């Protein structure tokens, strides 16, 4: 990974699309989102997984943050998300174009992602804005494990906020394998 440049300071007043400095969370897990909305990159020598995409305006920032860390967007082999609302799914179409990676989602989110708009199954339908439709969406089963090389991420159903709400869990290990931590990502 590339050396860090001067850090951008995020504050309580930072918005969803304000740029953030990418950083290592632990081992092969990196923060690549904006000040207001998280996106994570889980890396391996056999490909990467991107978790969440921010708003439509944030997609380019996420791609730029991946590059700032010294990784290539083309090495992203899968994109997953926490839920199918504008703030976490809005940048998916842009990130899919930049990486050529499929988006993986649980069944309740698939049609919404393909349409770019929620339906009556979403309790927040009246308050939601649409987002760019996602071209390639593959369905994951509840509790299914998505694998990219040594990365194994489990999709845990967490509906409520959105029908397709999904939490993710995986192990992040340092290069020696001696310092492993279980990462749980939920929005």
């Amino acid at each position: 990974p590339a050396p860090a440049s001067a850090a951008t300071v995020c504050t309580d007043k930072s918005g969803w699309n304000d740029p953030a400095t990418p950083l290592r969370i632990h081992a092969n897990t990196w923060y690549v989102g904006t000040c207001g909305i998280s996106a994570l990159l889980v890396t391996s020598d056999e490909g990467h997984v991107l978790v969440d995409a921010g708003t439509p305006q944030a997609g380019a920032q996420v791609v730029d943050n991946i590059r700032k860390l010294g990784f290539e967007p083309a090495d992203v082999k899968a994109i997953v998300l926490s839920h199918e609302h504008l703030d976490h799914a809005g940048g998916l179409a842009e990130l899919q174009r930049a990486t050529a990676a499929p988006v993986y989602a649980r069944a309740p989110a698939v049609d919404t992602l393909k349409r770019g708009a929620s339906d009556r199954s979403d309790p927040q339908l009246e308050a939601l804005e649409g987002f760019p439709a996602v071209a390639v969406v593959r369905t994951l089963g509840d509790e299914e494990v998505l694998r990219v090389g040594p990365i194994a991420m489990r999709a845990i159903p967490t509906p409520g906020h959105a029908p397709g709400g999904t939490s993710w869990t995986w192990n992040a290990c340092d290069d020696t394998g001696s310092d492993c931590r279980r990462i749980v990502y939920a929005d």
Side-chain angles (χ1 to χ4, degrees), residues 37-51:
I37 304 290
S38 61
L40 302 180
L41 184 69
V42 184
T43 61
S44 82
D45 290 339
E46 296 176 47
H48 315 316
V49 178
L50 182 64
V51 184

Side-chain angles (χ1 to χ4, degrees), residues 85-113:
H85 289 163
L86 171 83
D87 54 337
H88 291 265
L92 288 173
E94 170 70 23
L95 288 160
Q96 191 168 72
R97 279 190 295 278
T99 65
V103 170
Y104 292 85
R106 291 188 324 96
V110 171
D111 288 342
T112 296
L113 295 173

Side-chain angles (χ1 to χ4, degrees), residues 93-168:
E94 170 70 23
L95 288 160
Q96 191 168 72
R97 279 190 295 278
T99 65
V103 170
Y104 292 85
R106 291 188 324 96
V110 171
D111 288 342
T112 296
L113 295 173
K114 289 179 178 180
R115 257 191 327 269
S118 289
D119 60 23
R120 295 207 175 275
S121 68
D122 195 311
Q124 298 185 48
L125 176 63
E126 298 300 320
L128 296 173
E129 293 179 40
F131 51 85
V134 180
V136 180
V137 183
R138 297 186 181 154
T139 304
L140 282 174
D142 293 353
E143 301 293 334
E144 186 170 341
V145 175
L146 173 70
R147 295 182 188 280
V148 172
I151 300 168
M153 300 177 70
R154 182 174 303 279
I156 302 167
T158 48
H161 181 68
T166 306
S167 296
W168 294 92

Side-chain angles (χ1 to χ4, degrees), residues 28 49 54 58 69 71 81 88-89 97 106-107 126 150 173 175 178-179 181:
N28 66 331
V49 178
L69 290 170
F71 299 109
L81 68 153
H88 291 265
R97 279 190 295 278
R106 291 188 324 96
E126 298 300 320
C173 298
D175 292 338
S178 62
D179 185 8
R181 298 181 190 177

